[in-house]
PDB file of all heavy atoms in Angstrom:
ATOM      1  N   ALA A  54     -36.297  13.278  25.340  1.00 93.00           N
ATOM      2  CA  ALA A  54     -35.978  12.513  26.514  1.00 93.00           C
ATOM      3  C   ALA A  54     -35.172  13.496  27.468  1.00 93.00           C
ATOM      4  O   ALA A  54     -34.558  14.536  27.097  1.00 93.00           O
ATOM      5  CB  ALA A  54     -35.019  11.585  26.138  1.00 93.00           C
ATOM      6  N   ARG A  55     -35.085  13.070  28.784  1.00 92.00           N
ATOM      7  CA  ARG A  55     -34.684  14.032  29.819  1.00 92.00           C
ATOM      8  C   ARG A  55     -33.110  13.774  29.841  1.00 92.00           C
ATOM      9  O   ARG A  55     -32.504  12.797  30.223  1.00 92.00           O
ATOM     10  CB  ARG A  55     -35.239  13.619  31.169  1.00 92.00           C
ATOM     11  CG  ARG A  55     -34.879  14.712  32.316  1.00 92.00           C
ATOM     12  CD  ARG A  55     -35.770  14.488  33.344  1.00 92.00           C
ATOM     13  NE  ARG A  55     -35.825  13.229  34.101  1.00 92.00           N
ATOM     14  CZ  ARG A  55     -34.946  12.864  35.082  1.00 92.00           C
ATOM     15  NH1 ARG A  55     -34.181  13.768  35.635  1.00 92.00           N
ATOM     16  NH2 ARG A  55     -35.064  11.618  35.597  1.00 92.00           N
ATOM     17  N   VAL A  56     -32.388  14.969  29.532  1.00 95.00           N
ATOM     18  CA  VAL A  56     -30.941  14.971  29.579  1.00 95.00           C
ATOM     19  C   VAL A  56     -30.513  15.185  30.982  1.00 95.00           C
ATOM     20  O   VAL A  56     -30.979  16.233  31.525  1.00 95.00           O
ATOM     21  CB  VAL A  56     -30.318  15.990  28.567  1.00 95.00           C
ATOM     22  CG1 VAL A  56     -28.790  16.111  28.750  1.00 95.00           C
ATOM     23  CG2 VAL A  56     -30.587  15.560  27.151  1.00 95.00           C
ATOM     24  N   THR A  57     -29.638  14.309  31.598  1.00 96.00           N
ATOM     25  CA  THR A  57     -29.330  14.534  32.924  1.00 96.00           C
ATOM     26  C   THR A  57     -27.779  14.876  33.192  1.00 96.00           C
ATOM     27  O   THR A  57     -27.316  14.961  34.282  1.00 96.00           O
ATOM     28  CB  THR A  57     -29.578  13.302  33.659  1.00 96.00           C
ATOM     29  OG1 THR A  57     -29.230  12.131  32.922  1.00 96.00           O
ATOM     30  CG2 THR A  57     -31.166  13.210  34.026  1.00 96.00           C
ATOM     31  N   GLY A  58     -27.037  14.912  32.011  1.00 96.00           N
ATOM     32  CA  GLY A  58     -25.601  15.250  32.081  1.00 96.00           C
ATOM     33  C   GLY A  58     -24.936  15.342  30.714  1.00 96.00           C
ATOM     34  O   GLY A  58     -25.634  14.936  29.721  1.00 96.00           O
ATOM     35  N   GLY A  59     -23.933  16.133  30.676  1.00 96.00           N
ATOM     36  CA  GLY A  59     -23.174  16.290  29.377  1.00 96.00           C
ATOM     37  C   GLY A  59     -23.690  17.498  28.666  1.00 96.00           C
ATOM     38  O   GLY A  59     -24.537  18.274  29.054  1.00 96.00           O
ATOM     39  N   SER A  60     -23.133  17.604  27.449  1.00 96.00           N
ATOM     40  CA  SER A  60     -23.465  18.795  26.590  1.00 96.00           C
ATOM     41  C   SER A  60     -23.819  18.395  25.120  1.00 96.00           C
ATOM     42  O   SER A  60     -23.341  17.351  24.696  1.00 96.00           O
ATOM     43  CB  SER A  60     -22.412  19.808  26.557  1.00 96.00           C
ATOM     44  OG  SER A  60     -21.169  19.195  26.076  1.00 96.00           O
ATOM     45  N   ILE A  61     -24.651  19.077  24.468  1.00 96.00           N
ATOM     46  CA  ILE A  61     -24.945  18.944  23.081  1.00 96.00           C
ATOM     47  C   ILE A  61     -24.747  20.263  22.419  1.00 96.00           C
ATOM     48  O   ILE A  61     -25.509  21.244  22.711  1.00 96.00           O
ATOM     49  CB  ILE A  61     -26.374  18.593  22.804  1.00 96.00           C
ATOM     50  CG1 ILE A  61     -26.699  17.224  23.581  1.00 96.00           C
ATOM     51  CG2 ILE A  61     -26.514  18.379  21.319  1.00 96.00           C
ATOM     52  CD1 ILE A  61     -28.162  16.769  23.443  1.00 96.00           C
ATOM     53  N   ARG A  62     -23.619  20.571  21.687  1.00 96.00           N
ATOM     54  CA  ARG A  62     -23.416  21.816  21.038  1.00 96.00           C
ATOM     55  C   ARG A  62     -23.629  21.771  19.592  1.00 96.00           C
ATOM     56  O   ARG A  62     -23.138  20.908  18.829  1.00 96.00           O
ATOM     57  CB  ARG A  62     -22.003  22.301  21.286  1.00 96.00           C
ATOM     58  CG  ARG A  62     -21.771  22.907  22.661  1.00 96.00           C
ATOM     59  CD  ARG A  62     -20.339  23.526  22.876  1.00 96.00           C
ATOM     60  NE  ARG A  62     -19.424  22.484  22.710  1.00 96.00           N
ATOM     61  CZ  ARG A  62     -18.987  21.878  23.634  1.00 96.00           C
ATOM     62  NH1 ARG A  62     -19.485  21.728  24.899  1.00 96.00           N
ATOM     63  NH2 ARG A  62     -17.966  20.913  23.380  1.00 96.00           N
ATOM     64  N   LEU A  63     -24.498  22.691  19.095  1.00 94.00           N
ATOM     65  CA  LEU A  63     -24.736  22.744  17.634  1.00 94.00           C
ATOM     66  C   LEU A  63     -24.192  24.172  17.226  1.00 94.00           C
ATOM     67  O   LEU A  63     -24.578  25.231  17.736  1.00 94.00           O
ATOM     68  CB  LEU A  63     -26.246  22.867  17.506  1.00 94.00           C
ATOM     69  CG  LEU A  63     -26.749  22.988  16.025  1.00 94.00           C
ATOM     70  CD1 LEU A  63     -26.411  21.784  15.184  1.00 94.00           C
ATOM     71  CD2 LEU A  63     -28.263  23.165  16.009  1.00 94.00           C
ATOM     72  N   ALA A  64     -23.242  24.135  16.421  1.00 91.00           N
ATOM     73  CA  ALA A  64     -22.372  25.289  15.919  1.00 91.00           C
ATOM     74  C   ALA A  64     -22.021  26.159  17.108  1.00 91.00           C
ATOM     75  O   ALA A  64     -22.225  27.386  17.174  1.00 91.00           O
ATOM     76  CB  ALA A  64     -23.349  26.144  14.941  1.00 91.00           C
ATOM     77  N   GLY A  65     -21.461  25.473  18.102  1.00 90.00           N
ATOM     78  CA  GLY A  65     -20.929  26.169  19.246  1.00 90.00           C
ATOM     79  C   GLY A  65     -21.919  26.471  20.359  1.00 90.00           C
ATOM     80  O   GLY A  65     -21.532  26.843  21.529  1.00 90.00           O
ATOM     81  N   ARG A  66     -23.216  26.379  20.158  1.00 92.00           N
ATOM     82  CA  ARG A  66     -24.297  26.685  21.068  1.00 92.00           C
ATOM     83  C   ARG A  66     -24.680  25.455  21.894  1.00 92.00           C
ATOM     84  O   ARG A  66     -25.121  24.530  21.254  1.00 92.00           O
ATOM     85  CB  ARG A  66     -25.398  27.438  20.464  1.00 92.00           C
ATOM     86  CG  ARG A  66     -26.540  27.682  21.324  1.00 92.00           C
ATOM     87  CD  ARG A  66     -27.741  28.290  20.419  1.00 92.00           C
ATOM     88  NE  ARG A  66     -28.906  28.540  21.095  1.00 92.00           N
ATOM     89  CZ  ARG A  66     -30.099  28.553  20.553  1.00 92.00           C
ATOM     90  NH1 ARG A  66     -30.331  28.316  19.337  1.00 92.00           N
ATOM     91  NH2 ARG A  66     -31.215  28.771  21.335  1.00 92.00           N
ATOM     92  N   ASP A  67     -24.646  25.493  23.258  1.00 93.00           N
ATOM     93  CA  ASP A  67     -25.105  24.317  24.009  1.00 93.00           C
ATOM     94  C   ASP A  67     -26.705  24.432  23.977  1.00 93.00           C
ATOM     95  O   ASP A  67     -27.302  25.246  24.503  1.00 93.00           O
ATOM     96  CB  ASP A  67     -24.699  24.434  25.494  1.00 93.00           C
ATOM     97  CG  ASP A  67     -24.948  22.941  26.126  1.00 93.00           C
ATOM     98  OD1 ASP A  67     -25.596  22.087  25.506  1.00 93.00           O
ATOM     99  OD2 ASP A  67     -24.435  22.880  27.315  1.00 93.00           O
ATOM    100  N   ILE A  68     -27.247  23.319  23.356  1.00 94.00           N
ATOM    101  CA  ILE A  68     -28.719  23.273  23.288  1.00 94.00           C
ATOM    102  C   ILE A  68     -29.348  22.041  24.067  1.00 94.00           C
ATOM    103  O   ILE A  68     -30.501  21.779  23.968  1.00 94.00           O
ATOM    104  CB  ILE A  68     -29.059  22.918  21.735  1.00 94.00           C
ATOM    105  CG1 ILE A  68     -28.451  21.628  21.281  1.00 94.00           C
ATOM    106  CG2 ILE A  68     -28.807  24.126  20.836  1.00 94.00           C
ATOM    107  CD1 ILE A  68     -29.077  21.147  19.944  1.00 94.00           C
ATOM    108  N   ALA A  69     -28.611  21.456  25.018  1.00 92.00           N
ATOM    109  CA  ALA A  69     -28.781  20.235  25.598  1.00 92.00           C
ATOM    110  C   ALA A  69     -30.247  20.404  26.489  1.00 92.00           C
ATOM    111  O   ALA A  69     -30.871  19.468  26.596  1.00 92.00           O
ATOM    112  CB  ALA A  69     -27.642  19.824  26.470  1.00 92.00           C
TER     113      ALA A  69
END
Side-chain angles (χ1 to χ4, degrees):
R55 188 164 62 93
V56 171
T57 47
S60 63
I61 306 172
R62 279 191 299 281
L63 180 67
R66 174 186 177 204
D67 192 355
I68 57 161

